Amino acid sequence: MDLNIFKNNLEKYAAYYNPSSLFDKIKKYAKKAGVKTIYVILILYYASFDKSLPVKDRLMVVAALGYFILPIDLIPDALPGGFADDAAAALYVVRHIWNNISDDTFRKARQKLYEWFGSVSERDLSI
């Protein structure tokens, strides 16, 4: 990937990223997006605070979260399947940084997921 393109996209999406916007969107669309998508987003959210995560990985995390929050998507969120592009971007980043994600990040994401959804199946936690 061309570094300049990556940096331009990062700046574009990072402008939309902030925890308040992220949690507002999750609350609004949690049921529609599904538990697995929200779990992946929460992993990214908590990973963004992990200082041991390499800077390049943290930049990718912020870009994916910014895209999730971004009001204009490739597939509008209001349409059936509208979270497919958001989920794909988030899942790509999670898989890319998987070996660098701390156990504490997974624990925090699961804890928040249980808080919001109550009972969650193990199938929803497999990525």
Side-chain angles (χ1 to χ4, degrees), residues 97-115:
I97 69 168
W98 187 263
N99 292 329
N100 294 325
I101 300 173
S102 70
D103 290 338
D104 191 48
T105 294
F106 287 117
R107 183 188 58 74
K108 288 176 182 176
R110 282 189 174 116
Q111 184 178 357
K112 184 58 79 175
L113 198 67
Y114 294 140
E115 181 183 316

Side-chain angles (χ1 to χ4, degrees), residues 4 10 17 36 46 55-56 62 75 88 94 115 122:
N4 287 330
L10 175 63
Y17 174 71
K36 190 173 291 228
Y46 289 110
V55 172
K56 182 179 176 187
V62 170
I75 304 171
V94 163
E115 181 183 316
E122 282 300 312

Side-chain angles (χ1 to χ4, degrees), residues 59-85:
L59 293 173
M60 290 180 69
V61 166
V62 170
L65 291 173
Y67 184 77
F68 180 77
I69 297 167
L70 193 69
I72 299 171
D73 288 348
L74 292 175
I75 304 171
D77 296 337
L79 294 177
F83 285 97
D85 59 327

Side-chain angles (χ1 to χ4, degrees), residues 12-56:
K12 179 173 129 184
Y13 296 135
Y16 288 95
Y17 174 71
N18 68 61
S20 178
S21 295
L22 177 65
F23 279 48
D24 287 348
K25 184 158 185 178
I26 288 173
K27 288 175 190 173
K28 185 175 180 181
Y29 292 107
K31 297 275 190 215
K32 188 174 181 179
V35 173
K36 190 173 291 228
T37 298
I38 299 304
Y39 180 52
V40 170
I41 295 298
L42 287 170
I43 290 170
L44 293 175
Y45 172 73
Y46 289 110
S48 73
F49 295 104
D50 185 353
K51 301 291 186 203
S52 68
L53 196 65
V55 172
K56 182 179 176 187

